[in-house]
Amino acid sequence: MTNALLRVVGLRVRFAAGRGASVHALDGVDLELREGEALGVVGESGCGKSTLVRAILQLVRPTSGTVVWLGRALDEMPARELRSARRDLQIVFQDPLASLDPRMTVGEIVAEPLRIHRPDLNAEARRREVHQMLARVGLPPDAAARYPHQFSGGQCQRIGIARAMILRPKLLVCDEPVSALDVSVQAQIIELLHDLKRECGTALLFVSHNLAVVRRLCERLLVLYLGRMMELGPTDAIYADPRHPYTRALLEAIPVPDPDVQPARLSHVLPGEPPSPLSPPSGCVFRTRCPHAVEVCARQVPSWETDSAGRGIACVRWREIGPESA
Ligand code: SF4
């Protein structure tokens, strides 16, 4: 049994929106991530995925709830301890070029975490580590002396991954890391992350709106909608038998190349946009788009229920909505 690296308990984030209004960005998220495990977080734009990442990394202050890293609440850590915890908590951003300092060479960018967190290494040892890591992520030997703007988007993301992985962190947080890349380049980056995770034993918290990408990388899956948890469980089980109506809709929406199958799948895709997080619907926040909504869904916030295999679902009707009625 592996230990919990990260525990998120009752995390809520609200942003003031003027005139007493507030945006419900995240509403009661509980999760656990174990060593070496990969957890995918999916949902449409505005579902709270990026807020969750920022709150975990302490880049936004939660309204309530706790983030526990290796048994210690991050918001209670003194600044020095938090800095040292960050060594094991690295992030890869969505926009590869924007996340790299244009005034630094690639070698300097990748060496920066070593300079901060490995003062025991001299310049030559740092240079060796950087060259090994650049080669590992598939960049040419002369990359270290060049600048970020001289590389393609996919190569810039490789640089970002090299910087994040140079310290062999315990957790790599990936915030939509391939959504700005061409499809063929996306596949290469996903394979690189997959291999690095296996080689280094790094846990992944992988945020994406692309369920196909998440399936390749993540053993477990969390589905968010309007800041709330809809379903959480093993990825394969959720793909084989999605229980929450929103999860089903997301899976139905994955494009498939077969033209005979595609229309039937696409007809299940949800109509419309999610409601505004400024005034989420009463009861179940998904009810305004749910094909299974009944009167009780407007009155009652679904409680988090767990099935016999440990999968969590927030839907008052999940037991009666079988796969055949989807
Ligand atoms: S609680 Fe009701 S509205 Fe919400 S997902 Fe379940 S059936 Fe749909």
Side-chain angles (χ1 to χ4, degrees):
M1 184 75 176
T2 49
N3 300 322
L5 263 190
L6 177 77
R7 269 196 316 119
V8 171
V9 187
L11 205 62
R12 277 198 170 72
V13 178
R14 300 229 164 135
F15 298 117
R19 300 187 182 193
S22 65
V23 174
H24 299 226
L26 212 57
D27 212 346
V29 171
D30 295 277
L31 60 86
E32 195 172 289
L33 190 62
R34 293 179 285 272
E35 282 177 14
E37 182 186 35
L39 174 69
V41 182
V42 299
E44 290 160 286
S45 158
C47 72
K49 306 183 296 275
S50 291
T51 305
L52 175 62
V53 162
R54 286 177 173 75
I56 287 174
L57 295 171
Q58 306 291 291
L59 302 175
V60 299
R61 182 178 283 275
T63 310
S64 60
T66 316
V67 178
V68 181
W69 173 251
L70 293 170
R72 294 282 313 277
L74 280 178
D75 63 345
E76 290 171 7
M77 276 186 193
R80 228 176 78 192
E81 216 175 308
L82 188 60
R83 262 199 307 279
S84 109
R86 286 195 192 283
R87 172 187 167 149
D88 280 319
L89 265 168
Q90 294 289 320
I91 183 163
V92 173
F93 296 96
Q94 178 175 5
D95 184 342
L97 187 57
S99 68
L100 304 174
D101 188 332
R103 295 159 304 178
M104 293 168 80
T105 65
V106 168
E108 288 167 342
I109 289 169
V110 177
E112 196 176 32
L114 291 176
R115 270 204 305 275
I116 297 169
H117 295 286
R118 292 287 312 273
D120 56 306
L121 296 182
N122 62 24
E124 177 51 27
R126 267 202 311 271
R127 199 191 61 78
R128 254 198 325 271
E129 291 268 334
V130 167
H131 278 258
Q132 275 168 11
M133 183 48 86
L134 289 176
R136 178 61 197 88
V137 301
L139 288 166
D142 66 347
R146 292 156 62 191
Y147 288 87
H149 72 270
Q150 297 174 281
F151 293 88
S152 67
Q155 286 174 319
C156 283
Q157 201 54 298
R158 289 175 192 272
I159 298 166
I161 292 169
R163 178 182 57 186
M165 289 301 294
I166 191 104
L167 294 166
R168 311 291 193 279
K170 288 186 173 18
L171 173 63
L172 183 63
V173 177
C174 300
D175 188 6
E176 298 268 13
V178 295
S179 59
L181 305 175
D182 292 344
V183 173
S184 61
V185 181
Q186 286 186 9
Q188 295 165 14
I189 297 293
I190 293 305
E191 285 315 303
L192 174 63
L193 287 168
H194 181 265
D195 293 346
L196 286 171
K197 169 186 179 293
R198 217 185 32 212
E199 285 164 29
C200 304
T202 299
L204 284 183
L205 184 66
F206 193 92
V207 167
S208 180
H209 65 275
N210 185 334
L211 273 83
V213 163
V214 171
R215 186 176 197 183
R216 172 72 183 120
L217 275 174
C218 301
E219 297 98 31
R220 285 197 307 140
L221 186 62
L222 167 63
V223 180
L224 287 179
Y225 183 81
L226 225 59
R228 293 206 191 148
M229 293 170 66
M230 298 287 114
E231 187 160 0
L232 171 65
T235 306
D236 288 345
I238 289 180
Y239 268 79
D241 175 22
R243 301 262 168 87
H244 196 286
Y246 181 54
T247 314
R248 278 189 198 161
L250 285 179
L251 290 175
E252 293 291 337
I254 295 177
V256 288
D258 185 344
D260 294 331
V261 179
Q262 207 169 46
R265 289 176 70 97
L266 290 177
S267 70
H268 284 82
V269 176
L270 293 171
E273 302 285 323
S276 165
L278 267 169
S279 52
S282 63
C284 173
V285 287
F286 184 56
R287 71 179 167 82
T288 53
R289 295 168 85 199
C290 179
H292 303 285
V294 291
E295 190 267 333
V296 69
C297 304
R299 280 189 284 112
Q300 188 178 320
V301 176
S303 53
W304 188 249
E305 295 184 17
T306 309
D307 73 5
S308 55
R311 181 164 2 155
I313 306 126
C315 169
V316 294
R317 301 188 67 202
W318 72 269
R319 283 190 179 80
E320 59 184 290
I321 304 170
E324 66 286 348
S325 64

